[in-house]
Amino acid sequence: MRKKLFVWGCAALLPLCASAQQTYKELAEKAFRCVEADSLDRAASLFREALKTEPGNAFNASLFAGLGEIAHRQGRLKEAIEQYTLSLNLRPKSVPTLLARAGSYMETGDERRAYTDYCDVLDLDKDNREALFFRAYINMEQRDYKASRVDYERLLMLDPNHFEARFGLAVLNQKEGRLKEASDQLTTLITAHPQDASLYAARADVEKELASYDLALLDMGEAIRLQPANAQHYLARAAIYAKMDRKKSARADLERAVELGVPRVSLKDFMKENK
């Protein structure tokens, strides 16, 4: 029995011994397979082991990018950005890594650095759809509407059915006061996507600006029917009721929004805005 235990113990150690003798390439390949299999902690360990084996290997750019992806998947965005940056130090023209770092910057709210990465991507690939969309979005947030329109229209030329770009262009038209154009674009989107509550809410907001309050109420009613647990829809409808001086209905929607998680204290600002 003791002999059998010894044999079993040696067998259990074989993978460890083999691991110590694995080449850089074997470690890297195994790490990427672990990433594909969602064995992220094991993959990270293998990546680091490979990096120690050959710290000067040019392929380390891919290993750092792999570590960045793992950190991103696990919600450690600061670490993900650091790993992507190490990768880009070795391979500065990697479009996938630039996009990955830009996405992480967006998630941390650092739109300025994300914008730089998206510009770098478009310098390398002028038709990159992800970079075009997010640069257009950032420009719109920064009120550079002209630049935003150029990217949205470029994206729609490449892909006329790009949903997010069509929606973004409608929002941009609203921001620029082109309300009829925005409403028409949203109507076209609703025809193609009749179950998307966000489209009805967006059109209702345009209709509110046009003072078409009855139409706005109809659209917000449809948005609420499709997403009855979305507190923002009730706030939006309360704002429409306020415009119509239907105070009782507005209060009822505000109470419903509070029930769905909106802090009551935040309603003070709403009341000031809508009086």
Side-chain angles (χ1 to χ4, degrees):
M1 178 59 70
R2 289 182 63 184
K3 184 177 180 180
K4 285 182 179 180
L5 288 172
F6 177 78
V7 171
W8 292 339
C10 289
L13 287 172
L14 278 175
L16 298 177
C17 296
S19 176
Q21 296 172 359
Q22 285 180 102
T23 66
Y24 173 92
K25 182 180 178 181
E26 290 169 340
L27 288 166
E29 288 177 346
K30 185 178 290 187
F32 282 113
R33 285 197 297 270
C34 286
V35 173
E36 291 175 2
D38 283 332
S39 298
L40 301 184
D41 290 335
R42 176 61 176 152
S45 177
L46 289 165
F47 278 135
R48 293 191 178 96
E49 192 175 343
L51 288 166
K52 289 178 183 177
T53 302
E54 294 189 29
N57 194 309
F59 189 71
N60 285 345
S62 296
L63 305 194
F64 285 126
L67 285 168
E69 181 181 349
I70 291 168
H72 183 268
R73 286 198 202 179
Q74 295 180 332
R76 293 177 281 110
L77 297 177
K78 183 179 179 182
E79 182 182 337
I81 290 168
E82 291 170 354
Q83 296 295 338
Y84 290 138
T85 300
L86 289 171
S87 177
L88 289 165
N89 288 341
L90 298 173
R91 194 184 297 160
K93 294 185 178 182
S94 172
V95 167
T97 308
L98 283 167
L99 288 173
R101 187 172 69 175
S104 295
Y105 280 137
M106 290 293 287
E107 289 186 56
T108 61
D110 193 343
E111 292 186 353
R112 181 179 61 83
R113 287 190 172 89
Y115 182 84
T116 299
D117 278 351
Y118 289 129
C119 288
D120 288 344
V121 168
L122 290 167
D123 285 342
L124 297 165
D125 176 10
K126 64 184 178 66
D127 292 336
N128 188 282
R129 299 179 186 190
E130 181 178 343
L132 281 169
F133 171 73
F134 281 105
R135 191 171 73 173
Y137 170 80
I138 293 169
N139 276 325
M140 184 166 61
E141 290 291 296
Q142 297 299 317
R143 299 187 179 184
D144 188 346
Y145 298 145
K146 183 177 179 180
S148 179
R149 184 174 296 278
V150 169
D151 281 347
Y152 277 135
E153 290 181 348
R154 175 69 180 170
L155 181 50
L156 287 170
M157 184 180 73
L158 296 168
D159 182 3
N161 295 316
H162 195 291
F163 175 84
E164 289 81 4
R166 293 171 69 190
F167 193 8
L169 191 57
V171 173
L172 176 60
N173 282 327
Q174 181 185 5
K175 289 180 179 292
E176 289 191 307
R178 299 161 70 165
L179 300 179
K180 179 65 167 59
E181 190 173 345
S183 179
D184 289 344
Q185 289 170 325
L186 289 166
T187 297
T188 300
L189 282 171
I190 287 170
T191 299
H193 306 275
Q195 299 303 310
D196 192 322
S198 65
L199 296 175
Y200 292 97
R203 189 170 67 177
D205 195 50
V206 174
E207 289 161 344
K208 185 181 75 171
E209 286 195 49
L210 288 166
S212 299
Y213 301 129
D214 289 334
L215 291 176
L217 280 180
L218 286 173
D219 274 342
M220 282 314 307
E222 185 63 14
I224 288 170
R225 185 187 71 79
L226 291 167
Q227 286 184 335
N230 188 319
Q232 296 304 314
H233 292 338
Y234 293 93
L235 291 177
R237 192 168 67 175
I240 298 167
Y241 281 134
K243 290 288 186 182
M244 302 173 75
D245 202 30
R246 293 175 58 177
K247 297 178 182 179
K248 185 175 181 180
S249 296
R251 289 196 191 98
D253 273 355
L254 292 178
E255 287 300 325
R256 181 58 180 146
V258 170
E259 290 172 8
L260 291 170
V262 173
R264 188 175 293 276
V265 66
S266 69
L267 297 183
K268 291 182 180 178
D269 291 335
F270 175 92
M271 298 300 288
K272 287 180 182 178
E273 290 174 9
N274 294 280
K275 295 183 180 180

